[in-house]
Amino acid sequence: MTTQAVPTVAQAVGTALAELGVTTVFGVVGSGNFHVTNALTAAGARFVAARHEGGAAVMADAYARVSGELGVLCVHQGPGLTNAMTGITEAAKSRTPLLILAAEATAPRSNFHIGQPALAAAVGAVPERVNSAATAAADLARAYHIAAAGRRTVLLNLPLDVQAVPAPVPFTLPAQPAAAGPETDPGAIAALADALVGAQRPVFLAGRGARHAKEDLIQLSERSGALLATSAVSRGLFRAHPYSLDVSGGFATPAAAELIRNADLLVGWGCALNMWTLRHGALVGEGTTVVQVDLDPDALGAHQRIDLGVVGDTAATARAVAANLERRGHHAPGYRTAKVAERLAREGRWRDVPFEAEAEDGRIDPRTLSAALDDLLPAQRTVAVDSGNFMGYPSMYLDVPDADGFVFTQAFQSIGLGLATAVGAAVARPDRLTVAALGDGGALMGVSELETAVRLGLDLLVVVYDDEAYGAEVHHFGPHGHPLEHVTFPPADIAAIARGFGCAGVTVRTAADLAAVADWINGPRERPLLVDAKVTRGQPSWWLAEAFRGHRPPPPTAPAQPDTRPP
Ligand SMILES: Cc1ncc(C[n+]2csc(CCOP(=O)(O)OP(=O)(O)O)c2C)c(N)n1
Ligand SMILES: [Mg+2]
């Protein structure tokens, strides 16, 4: 920390952010963000140094999701920002409140110069800039407000020349206008109440926008007899509730899918009702009434035809509808019959669904692995999942204690984010064991953050579902006779790689090999453990075919002649 009397703009910005309440900042430090980072930490914030900006961005996103705080990422100009772009895109698509402090090369001929605002805009982040010393406090206040109150991912560019000049004294941030929530139309409240009164088998689907509305939704569901389901990102919200269906969509158990399909009323609460949650509409029965409640009018009906759209906060709307039902004396058992309760108790979890383990020499069925891990892990856990064919196994076999216990950075469907997601979540919840569930492809893509996990001393278990392949592509294209040489790999000793980073490492080929995992879990857990689980390769996961329907046309059968077109 320099001792000059008048702080520079860089120093004033860092200090002001810590004073605004920023506690934790993720990043990689270069010359351009050196001073702002030091000012943040001098004023009391914690800086978590990642090994790649892609990891830092995802850590900041996951930290925000789990802690409920504003996420803050701090990067060098140019490549520091481009390295972070995939994580920034994930955050922007997820509406994560995230403030990115990025140095910005001012000289157009600098090697570091790129169009940073255009880059942000291209991925749905909000470009902002500290334009001058005179406007710096107002610029910072505006960017912070858009990110925190507006729940947006904001790129605050910090031009190098502006950073270096003295800041105004005092450096006072102007107050920002209080956000006015939308007035919910009383007619829409009454219409939703009418729909609930008329329904015999209502089901609630709670998305990210209902994470804060748990208690209000449970109360309304009790009054109206609704079953409770979530989208994948809100998994865990209704955990342990006797009428919880867990996740709706591709991850749903057969029992949950059938109960949702047989609903006569579906109400989406802060939930996009997209193809993932409704299996391309297959979970919407013929004649089912669909209602959607969302803060954002543009979200209504965007993915799924709806019969009624309600603009409003999910918690406030649920309370208003419950009050309406109370006035009418409506209190119905609805879908909450003894038969449904029994069925959910019997077959409400994937772990209750029988399967025949796939046999392959020296390899373990991913379901056997996941169920055994679920038994071994402490109940207080955070589960972070990467993308790939394997992803359904940890997502559905590993129980989570609540919605903060499941971190699903899948809005951009990028592989390679799972490990950094787990690191950010572990920083947010050091009281819980964090589990990173990765494919071998995603694990090797994001592997540098193993060093971060070791350095930070995180309570972290990394499980690699290692099929030595991009299994998602193998199972999609293989059955059609396409060549697979670019999506299959020779065996890699990922446990040894992890040991090189300072982790403990175990290779698992049979259920008996899990004894070493149990020892680690029940021991002092002094260093993270990576489990390289050599999983069977014969079958695609149950949800994969469903997922591929969403974003790729069915592959043609392999042509007789070699085909060099990209898939
Ligand atoms: C950054 C990125 N690159 C490529 C893809 C395409 N892709 C989707 S799944 C997948 C395979 C992932 O392999 P792995 O992590 O081993 O999981 P598996 O499918 O084998 O279970 C790939 C390459 C992607 N989604 N994101
Ligand atoms: Mg794989």
Side-chain angles (χ1 to χ4, degrees), residues 387-390 413-415 439-442 445 467 469-473:
S387 205
N389 172 62
F390 77 96
Q413 264 185 275
S414 174
I415 68 165
D440 50 304
M445 194 176 274
D467 63 353
Y470 293 152
E473 334 300 320

Side-chain angles (χ1 to χ4, degrees), residues 388-390 438-442 464-472 487 489 535:
N389 172 62
F390 77 96
L438 319 174
D440 50 304
V464 182
Y465 289 73
D466 185 0
D467 63 353
E468 292 151 8
Y470 293 152
V487 290
F489 296 90
V535 293

Side-chain angles (χ1 to χ4, degrees), residues 204 206-222 228 230 234 236-241 269 313-316 318-319 336 401-404:
F204 289 178
R208 193 196 331 276
R211 290 270 301 259
H212 66 293
K214 174 185 164 184
E215 294 308 328
D216 294 311
L217 286 176
I218 288 178
Q219 279 186 23
L220 180 62
S221 74
E222 272 159 13
L228 296 162
T230 71
S234 289
L237 191 65
F238 302 120
R239 190 200 170 268
H241 193 286
W269 298 91
D313 171 72
T314 50
R319 283 194 300 273
R336 298 186 167 195
D402 51 34
D404 288 340

Side-chain angles (χ1 to χ4, degrees), residues 263-346:
D264 58 355
L265 173 66
L266 288 176
V267 187
W269 298 91
C271 178
L273 299 179
N274 62 23
M275 63 184 184
W276 306 108
T277 304
L278 294 178
R279 292 195 188 170
H280 300 89
L283 294 184
V284 184
E286 230 172 273
T288 301
T289 301
V290 183
V291 180
Q292 193 177 7
V293 181
D294 207 286
L295 263 184
D296 177 6
D298 290 341
L300 300 178
H303 293 275
Q304 162 68 36
R305 62 118 195 122
I306 56 173
D307 300 287
L308 171 67
V310 182
V311 180
D313 171 72
T314 50
T317 302
R319 283 194 300 273
V321 173
N324 179 302
L325 294 182
E326 195 179 352
R327 277 198 299 277
R328 293 153 80 158
H330 179 78
H331 197 152
Y335 217 159
R336 298 186 167 195
T337 63
K339 224 170 124 196
V340 167
E342 270 164 43
R343 182 159 189 207
L344 288 175
R346 206 173 51 239

Side-chain angles (χ1 to χ4, degrees), residues 297-470:
D298 290 341
L300 300 178
H303 293 275
Q304 162 68 36
R305 62 118 195 122
I306 56 173
D307 300 287
L308 171 67
V310 182
V311 180
D313 171 72
T314 50
T317 302
R319 283 194 300 273
V321 173
N324 179 302
L325 294 182
E326 195 179 352
R327 277 198 299 277
R328 293 153 80 158
H330 179 78
H331 197 152
Y335 217 159
R336 298 186 167 195
T337 63
K339 224 170 124 196
V340 167
E342 270 164 43
R343 182 159 189 207
L344 288 175
R346 206 173 51 239
E347 46 179 316
R349 308 178 311 159
W350 269 107
R351 293 207 47 187
D352 307 324
V353 179
F355 67 91
E356 200 178 317
E358 196 191 335
E360 190 183 342
D361 222 20
R363 310 193 80 91
I364 185 168
D365 186 294
R367 293 162 294 184
T368 308
L369 168 75
S370 305
L373 284 171
D374 190 42
D375 288 337
L376 291 175
L377 289 165
Q380 285 301 311
R381 57 178 89 155
T382 306
V383 176
V385 185
D386 209 328
S387 205
N389 172 62
F390 77 96
M391 70 193 292
Y393 303 117
S395 296
M396 295 316 301
Y397 281 77
L398 300 185
D399 190 20
V400 294
D402 51 34
D404 288 340
F406 190 66
V407 201
F408 200 64
T409 42
Q410 304 281 347
F412 196 25
Q413 264 185 275
S414 174
I415 68 165
L417 309 189
L419 177 59
T421 299
V423 171
V427 171
R429 289 301 299 265
D431 56 314
R432 288 179 167 174
L433 171 63
T434 301
V435 182
L438 319 174
D440 50 304
L444 291 173
M445 194 176 274
V447 74
S448 58
E449 303 308 345
L450 277 182
E451 191 279 336
T452 307
V454 171
R455 175 165 35 86
L456 297 179
L458 299 180
D459 192 12
L460 176 69
L461 174 66
V462 182
V463 182
V464 182
Y465 289 73
D466 185 0
D467 63 353
E468 292 151 8
Y470 293 152

